[in-house]
Amino acid sequence: MDNGLAHEGGAFINFRRYLPDPKEHGYRWVDIKQLRFSAGSLDDRGLLAALIGHEQFRDDYAGGGVLPDGPRHGPYWLRLITPGLYEPINQEKAVQILREWVDPLRDLPTGLEADLQREVFDRLAAADGTYYLSELGDEVIHDWGRVHDYFHEFVLIDRSAGQITLIVAADD
């Protein structure tokens, strides 16, 4: 357990795998990290703080993977990410953000739609709390943080399952 959270695994959905022409929206992907927490251990803000402190959060999402001592999280400097930057949103708004991001692919291949449903939308439906990291200002962007065209980040808290899930949907 790291900061009260235990990494359980995750999934990576690379759109290139499903598209007949990977050049068309082929640089989209969704990364899912799932962690376990003790039931009733922390309130939502405490869980967000524990997630930010966990080594799995130290991922620049630019090919380097998780760097236990890394200073970056996605396009942002890790030291500038706080629980207060995550805004609670309802399931409908989260689905809307994700569907608008996927929208250029109106007719999703069956396998991609099934994987997105299972790994993303089903998890959203089961969550007790959903938090969204809105686009942050330039002062939070690290030295080469503009490599992503879009960067959507959601944290899902499912208390009945004792799970917190970090979902990053991005283009690069």
Side-chain angles (χ1 to χ4, degrees), residues 9 14 22 64 76 78 105-106 128 137 155:
N14 187 339
Y76 309 117
L78 177 65
L105 303 172
R106 293 183 207 315
D128 302 309
V155 176

Side-chain angles (χ1 to χ4, degrees), residues 60-108:
D60 59 28
Y61 297 101
V66 172
L67 301 172
D69 296 321
R72 296 173 182 89
H73 171 73
Y76 309 117
W77 288 113
L78 177 65
R79 71 182 186 281
L80 300 175
I81 303 294
T82 66
L85 294 175
Y86 288 86
E87 54 186 75
I89 65 171
N90 62 37
Q91 178 188 354
E92 293 78 21
K93 181 64 176 171
V95 168
Q96 177 188 350
I97 291 167
L98 287 163
R99 286 292 178 193
E100 286 175 1
W101 174 70
V102 172
D103 189 57
L105 303 172
R106 293 183 207 315
D107 296 320
L108 290 179

